[in-house]
PDB file of all heavy atoms in Angstrom:
ATOM      1  N   LEU A  20       5.246 -20.177  15.689  1.00 97.00           N
ATOM      2  CA  LEU A  20       4.863 -18.689  15.790  1.00 97.00           C
ATOM      3  C   LEU A  20       3.723 -18.285  14.997  1.00 97.00           C
ATOM      4  O   LEU A  20       2.756 -17.681  15.402  1.00 97.00           O
ATOM      5  CB  LEU A  20       6.126 -17.859  15.402  1.00 97.00           C
ATOM      6  CG  LEU A  20       6.033 -16.380  15.868  1.00 97.00           C
ATOM      7  CD1 LEU A  20       7.434 -15.767  16.107  1.00 97.00           C
ATOM      8  CD2 LEU A  20       5.380 -15.446  14.761  1.00 97.00           C
ATOM      9  N   PRO A  31       5.908 -12.087  21.002  1.00 98.00           N
ATOM     10  CA  PRO A  31       6.777 -10.958  20.607  1.00 98.00           C
ATOM     11  C   PRO A  31       7.929 -11.469  19.667  1.00 98.00           C
ATOM     12  O   PRO A  31       8.396 -12.537  19.833  1.00 98.00           O
ATOM     13  CB  PRO A  31       7.389 -10.475  21.976  1.00 98.00           C
ATOM     14  CG  PRO A  31       7.224 -11.570  22.846  1.00 98.00           C
ATOM     15  CD  PRO A  31       6.125 -12.397  22.480  1.00 98.00           C
ATOM     16  N   HIS A  32       8.270 -10.552  18.646  1.00 98.00           N
ATOM     17  CA  HIS A  32       9.202 -11.067  17.663  1.00 98.00           C
ATOM     18  C   HIS A  32       9.763  -9.887  16.946  1.00 98.00           C
ATOM     19  O   HIS A  32       9.070  -8.806  16.766  1.00 98.00           O
ATOM     20  CB  HIS A  32       8.613 -12.049  16.638  1.00 98.00           C
ATOM     21  CG  HIS A  32       7.424 -11.476  15.905  1.00 98.00           C
ATOM     22  ND1 HIS A  32       6.243 -11.571  16.353  1.00 98.00           N
ATOM     23  CD2 HIS A  32       7.395 -10.738  14.828  1.00 98.00           C
ATOM     24  CE1 HIS A  32       5.351 -11.002  15.522  1.00 98.00           C
ATOM     25  NE2 HIS A  32       6.093 -10.474  14.543  1.00 98.00           N
ATOM     26  N   TYR A  33      11.033  -9.948  16.649  1.00 98.00           N
ATOM     27  CA  TYR A  33      11.647  -8.836  15.845  1.00 98.00           C
ATOM     28  C   TYR A  33      12.120  -9.294  14.426  1.00 98.00           C
ATOM     29  O   TYR A  33      11.839  -8.798  13.405  1.00 98.00           O
ATOM     30  CB  TYR A  33      12.826  -8.270  16.624  1.00 98.00           C
ATOM     31  CG  TYR A  33      12.395  -7.509  17.893  1.00 98.00           C
ATOM     32  CD1 TYR A  33      12.735  -7.914  19.100  1.00 98.00           C
ATOM     33  CD2 TYR A  33      11.724  -6.239  17.638  1.00 98.00           C
ATOM     34  CE1 TYR A  33      12.445  -7.178  20.135  1.00 98.00           C
ATOM     35  CE2 TYR A  33      11.329  -5.541  18.828  1.00 98.00           C
ATOM     36  CZ  TYR A  33      11.674  -6.013  20.047  1.00 98.00           C
ATOM     37  OH  TYR A  33      11.305  -5.316  21.238  1.00 98.00           O
ATOM     38  N   CYS A  34      12.989 -10.392  14.554  1.00 98.00           N
ATOM     39  CA  CYS A  34      13.534 -10.814  13.246  1.00 98.00           C
ATOM     40  C   CYS A  34      12.682 -11.473  12.323  1.00 98.00           C
ATOM     41  O   CYS A  34      12.883 -11.461  11.149  1.00 98.00           O
ATOM     42  CB  CYS A  34      14.880 -11.583  13.531  1.00 98.00           C
ATOM     43  SG  CYS A  34      14.607 -13.158  14.270  1.00 98.00           S
ATOM     44  N   TYR A  35      11.649 -12.273  12.844  1.00 98.00           N
ATOM     45  CA  TYR A  35      10.661 -12.974  12.088  1.00 98.00           C
ATOM     46  C   TYR A  35       9.894 -11.927  11.206  1.00 98.00           C
ATOM     47  O   TYR A  35       9.434 -10.947  11.637  1.00 98.00           O
ATOM     48  CB  TYR A  35       9.818 -13.754  12.909  1.00 98.00           C
ATOM     49  CG  TYR A  35       8.555 -14.169  12.278  1.00 98.00           C
ATOM     50  CD1 TYR A  35       8.547 -15.415  11.546  1.00 98.00           C
ATOM     51  CD2 TYR A  35       7.340 -13.527  12.328  1.00 98.00           C
ATOM     52  CE1 TYR A  35       7.397 -15.841  10.882  1.00 98.00           C
ATOM     53  CE2 TYR A  35       6.179 -13.951  11.658  1.00 98.00           C
ATOM     54  CZ  TYR A  35       6.179 -15.167  10.998  1.00 98.00           C
ATOM     55  OH  TYR A  35       5.123 -15.527  10.352  1.00 98.00           O
ATOM     56  N   HIS A  36       9.654 -12.370   9.978  1.00 97.00           N
ATOM     57  CA  HIS A  36       8.658 -11.631   9.070  1.00 97.00           C
ATOM     58  C   HIS A  36       8.199 -12.785   8.152  1.00 97.00           C
ATOM     59  O   HIS A  36       8.910 -13.496   7.554  1.00 97.00           O
ATOM     60  CB  HIS A  36       9.360 -10.562   8.322  1.00 97.00           C
ATOM     61  CG  HIS A  36       8.451  -9.681   7.569  1.00 97.00           C
ATOM     62  ND1 HIS A  36       7.956 -10.049   6.359  1.00 97.00           N
ATOM     63  CD2 HIS A  36       7.842  -8.453   7.795  1.00 97.00           C
ATOM     64  CE1 HIS A  36       7.098  -9.046   5.921  1.00 97.00           C
ATOM     65  NE2 HIS A  36       7.137  -8.139   6.702  1.00 97.00           N
ATOM     66  N   VAL A  42      15.565 -16.424  10.615  1.00 97.00           N
ATOM     67  CA  VAL A  42      17.036 -16.558  10.933  1.00 97.00           C
ATOM     68  C   VAL A  42      17.158 -16.739  12.501  1.00 97.00           C
ATOM     69  O   VAL A  42      18.245 -17.032  12.944  1.00 97.00           O
ATOM     70  CB  VAL A  42      17.858 -15.290  10.505  1.00 97.00           C
ATOM     71  CG1 VAL A  42      18.048 -15.258   9.086  1.00 97.00           C
ATOM     72  CG2 VAL A  42      17.146 -13.902  11.023  1.00 97.00           C
ATOM     73  N   ALA A  43      16.126 -16.483  13.314  1.00 97.00           N
ATOM     74  CA  ALA A  43      16.247 -16.662  14.672  1.00 97.00           C
ATOM     75  C   ALA A  43      17.365 -15.961  15.391  1.00 97.00           C
ATOM     76  O   ALA A  43      18.126 -16.538  16.061  1.00 97.00           O
ATOM     77  CB  ALA A  43      16.233 -18.157  15.015  1.00 97.00           C
ATOM     78  N   THR A  44      17.591 -14.717  15.187  1.00 96.00           N
ATOM     79  CA  THR A  44      18.667 -13.978  15.676  1.00 96.00           C
ATOM     80  C   THR A  44      18.241 -13.133  16.917  1.00 96.00           C
ATOM     81  O   THR A  44      19.204 -12.886  17.765  1.00 96.00           O
ATOM     82  CB  THR A  44      19.419 -13.027  14.698  1.00 96.00           C
ATOM     83  OG1 THR A  44      18.290 -12.129  14.106  1.00 96.00           O
ATOM     84  CG2 THR A  44      20.147 -13.725  13.612  1.00 96.00           C
ATOM     85  N   CYS A  45      17.074 -12.642  17.004  1.00 97.00           N
ATOM     86  CA  CYS A  45      16.619 -11.782  18.013  1.00 97.00           C
ATOM     87  C   CYS A  45      16.418 -12.462  19.354  1.00 97.00           C
ATOM     88  O   CYS A  45      16.472 -11.948  20.429  1.00 97.00           O
ATOM     89  CB  CYS A  45      15.560 -10.820  17.647  1.00 97.00           C
ATOM     90  SG  CYS A  45      14.043 -11.622  17.663  1.00 97.00           S
ATOM     91  N   ARG A  46      15.934 -13.821  19.353  1.00 97.00           N
ATOM     92  CA  ARG A  46      15.614 -14.636  20.452  1.00 97.00           C
ATOM     93  C   ARG A  46      14.414 -14.011  21.250  1.00 97.00           C
ATOM     94  O   ARG A  46      14.314 -14.398  22.379  1.00 97.00           O
ATOM     95  CB  ARG A  46      16.760 -14.784  21.488  1.00 97.00           C
ATOM     96  CG  ARG A  46      18.141 -14.860  20.781  1.00 97.00           C
ATOM     97  CD  ARG A  46      18.198 -15.962  19.719  1.00 97.00           C
ATOM     98  NE  ARG A  46      18.209 -17.257  20.321  1.00 97.00           N
ATOM     99  CZ  ARG A  46      18.246 -18.478  19.661  1.00 97.00           C
ATOM    100  NH1 ARG A  46      18.303 -18.463  18.347  1.00 97.00           N
ATOM    101  NH2 ARG A  46      18.223 -19.614  20.137  1.00 97.00           N
ATOM    102  N   MET A  47      13.624 -13.198  20.622  1.00 98.00           N
ATOM    103  CA  MET A  47      12.403 -12.680  21.362  1.00 98.00           C
ATOM    104  C   MET A  47      11.261 -13.578  21.393  1.00 98.00           C
ATOM    105  O   MET A  47      10.308 -13.466  22.326  1.00 98.00           O
ATOM    106  CB  MET A  47      12.050 -11.259  20.800  1.00 98.00           C
ATOM    107  CG  MET A  47      11.239 -10.393  21.618  1.00 98.00           C
ATOM    108  SD  MET A  47      11.891  -9.945  23.150  1.00 98.00           S
ATOM    109  CE  MET A  47      10.446  -9.360  24.068  1.00 98.00           C
ATOM    110  N   CYS A  48      11.284 -14.535  20.479  1.00 98.00           N
ATOM    111  CA  CYS A  48      10.037 -15.324  20.341  1.00 98.00           C
ATOM    112  C   CYS A  48      10.155 -16.669  21.077  1.00 98.00           C
ATOM    113  O   CYS A  48       9.406 -17.639  20.789  1.00 98.00           O
ATOM    114  CB  CYS A  48       9.849 -15.638  18.848  1.00 98.00           C
ATOM    115  SG  CYS A  48      11.112 -16.728  18.112  1.00 98.00           S
ATOM    116  N   LEU A  49      10.980 -16.775  22.082  1.00 98.00           N
ATOM    117  CA  LEU A  49      11.238 -17.919  22.774  1.00 98.00           C
ATOM    118  C   LEU A  49       9.970 -18.547  23.415  1.00 98.00           C
ATOM    119  O   LEU A  49       9.102 -17.665  23.989  1.00 98.00           O
ATOM    120  CB  LEU A  49      12.335 -17.892  23.875  1.00 98.00           C
ATOM    121  CG  LEU A  49      13.746 -17.563  23.350  1.00 98.00           C
ATOM    122  CD1 LEU A  49      14.654 -17.119  24.415  1.00 98.00           C
ATOM    123  CD2 LEU A  49      14.277 -18.747  22.705  1.00 98.00           C
ATOM    124  N   THR A  60      13.150 -21.208  19.830  1.00 98.00           N
ATOM    125  CA  THR A  60      12.672 -19.988  19.055  1.00 98.00           C
ATOM    126  C   THR A  60      11.542 -20.501  18.211  1.00 98.00           C
ATOM    127  O   THR A  60      11.532 -21.356  17.399  1.00 98.00           O
ATOM    128  CB  THR A  60      13.752 -19.510  18.101  1.00 98.00           C
ATOM    129  OG1 THR A  60      14.225 -20.500  17.401  1.00 98.00           O
ATOM    130  CG2 THR A  60      14.912 -18.826  18.842  1.00 98.00           C
ATOM    131  N   SER A  61      10.257 -19.888  18.532  1.00 98.00           N
ATOM    132  CA  SER A  61       8.996 -20.262  17.821  1.00 98.00           C
ATOM    133  C   SER A  61       9.078 -19.984  16.317  1.00 98.00           C
ATOM    134  O   SER A  61       8.267 -20.526  15.510  1.00 98.00           O
ATOM    135  CB  SER A  61       7.822 -19.782  18.464  1.00 98.00           C
ATOM    136  OG  SER A  61       7.963 -18.344  18.556  1.00 98.00           O
ATOM    137  N   CYS A  62       9.934 -19.070  15.858  1.00 98.00           N
ATOM    138  CA  CYS A  62      10.000 -18.560  14.452  1.00 98.00           C
ATOM    139  C   CYS A  62      10.756 -19.672  13.616  1.00 98.00           C
ATOM    140  O   CYS A  62      10.605 -19.562  12.483  1.00 98.00           O
ATOM    141  CB  CYS A  62      10.527 -17.260  14.253  1.00 98.00           C
ATOM    142  SG  CYS A  62      12.371 -17.122  14.701  1.00 98.00           S
ATOM    143  N   THR A  63      11.380 -20.644  14.170  1.00 98.00           N
ATOM    144  CA  THR A  63      12.147 -21.659  13.533  1.00 98.00           C
ATOM    145  C   THR A  63      11.602 -23.074  13.897  1.00 98.00           C
ATOM    146  O   THR A  63      12.093 -23.990  13.309  1.00 98.00           O
ATOM    147  CB  THR A  63      13.624 -21.510  13.627  1.00 98.00           C
ATOM    148  OG1 THR A  63      13.905 -21.490  15.068  1.00 98.00           O
ATOM    149  CG2 THR A  63      14.276 -20.457  12.933  1.00 98.00           C
ATOM    150  N   CYS A 158      18.171  -7.061  13.712  1.00 97.00           N
ATOM    151  CA  CYS A 158      17.273  -8.074  13.263  1.00 97.00           C
ATOM    152  C   CYS A 158      17.487  -8.516  11.865  1.00 97.00           C
ATOM    153  O   CYS A 158      17.007  -9.640  11.545  1.00 97.00           O
ATOM    154  CB  CYS A 158      15.853  -7.636  13.498  1.00 97.00           C
ATOM    155  SG  CYS A 158      15.392  -6.394  12.261  1.00 97.00           S
TER     156      CYS A 158
HETATM  157  S1  LIG B   2      11.564 -13.794  15.966  1.00 56.49           S
HETATM  158 FE1  LIG B   2      12.261 -15.642  16.553  1.00 56.49          FE
HETATM  159  S2  LIG B   2      14.362 -15.304  17.160  1.00 56.49           S
HETATM  160 FE2  LIG B   2      13.608 -13.443  16.337  1.00 56.49          FE
END
Side-chain angles (χ1 to χ4, degrees):
L20 194 147
H32 57 272
Y33 291 112
C34 65
Y35 164 85
H36 187 279
V42 286
T44 53
C45 75
R46 322 305 288 179
M47 194 61 197
C48 67
L49 292 170
T60 49
S61 58
C62 68
T63 48
C158 70

